[in-house]
Amino acid sequence: MAETPHAGIDIVRSFLAESGMGGSIAEVRAVMNAPASVNAAPDGVHVSVEELAGRPVEWLQPQGASRDRVVLYLHGGGYCAGSLDSHRGIGGRLALEAKTAVVMLDYRLAPEDPFPAAVDDAVAAYRALLALGIAGLSIAIAGDSAGGGLTMSTALALRAAGDPLPAALAVLSPWVDLTQTSDAYDRLSEVDPMCSAAGLTEMATAYLGNADPKQELASPRFADLTGLPPLRIDVGTEEVLLDDATGLADAATAAGVETTVVVWPQMIHVFQAFPGELVPESDQSIHDIGVFLSSHLG
């Protein structure tokens, strides 16, 4: 029996088909920087614009939440696009569900600032939180798409340097293999309305230049993940990064990492960014991720 179409996802697909979101870096930047992409924080979340380790950040704090426990959030956009404006909504919703302050980092983007600038910025921001007196066990790191890959790379860089590790990691539709060679690109290219092998390869080239795409801080899918903190992975069945997510889950589990992977039927890339009125799974996933992170924060 054929699966009943998801009415909300069909509406999102129509919007994406007209948006240019799956196009070149210039087109993706135009879409994500457009006034229509500027997200307000949800009601009940206070926004404070500050700096952390020399980079702009926004603190998104639910009423009554202190800065003693915090989620460092790393936005998506293929390492070449995305901003505080484009991801304020998802960060604020996560803050409400986790009942925890979220600090959203405006890390440097390629091609102007190629690899490892994004990793360096995320590591520096995490260390700045430690310097504020927040314990590692009271910090979690989360991110979507490239920000999910950056979440993993940041944890690996911290582990290598001997820094205190965060309490937990959460990644949404993570891009963790910058080679674009998984079977999902063949299986799912016709159903993914947002990502393609060609588009991601353009972004990977802009980000990496001549660097090896298989090195662990670029493609943490290939890293030894031993010793990393508890990890939650959310991904949709209709996105070409499905194998990135499940492959990451397999690698983490094999390395002894406490791993939760949730594969959402009929969902597309970073479906959590779309309104819950259209896509109820969006709100459910954000809620579940918030509970996961809050339960691990000391």
Side-chain angles (χ1 to χ4, degrees), residues 37-54:
S37 296
V38 174
N39 281 288
D43 291 343
V45 175
H46 175 74
V47 180
S48 178
V49 182
E50 302 180 22
E51 279 195 359
L52 198 64

Side-chain angles (χ1 to χ4, degrees), residues 209-232:
N210 294 322
D212 179 3
K214 285 193 171 183
Q215 62 186 292
E216 66 175 24
L217 295 188
S219 294
R221 165 67 183 84
F222 302 114
D224 176 4
L225 304 178
T226 302
L228 293 191
L231 169 66
R232 177 176 169 117

Side-chain angles (χ1 to χ4, degrees), residues 194-217:
M194 193 178 302
C195 297
S196 68
L200 290 175
T201 295
E202 180 187 4
M203 289 182 164
T205 300
Y207 178 54
L208 294 172
N210 294 322
D212 179 3
K214 285 193 171 183
Q215 62 186 292
E216 66 175 24
L217 295 188

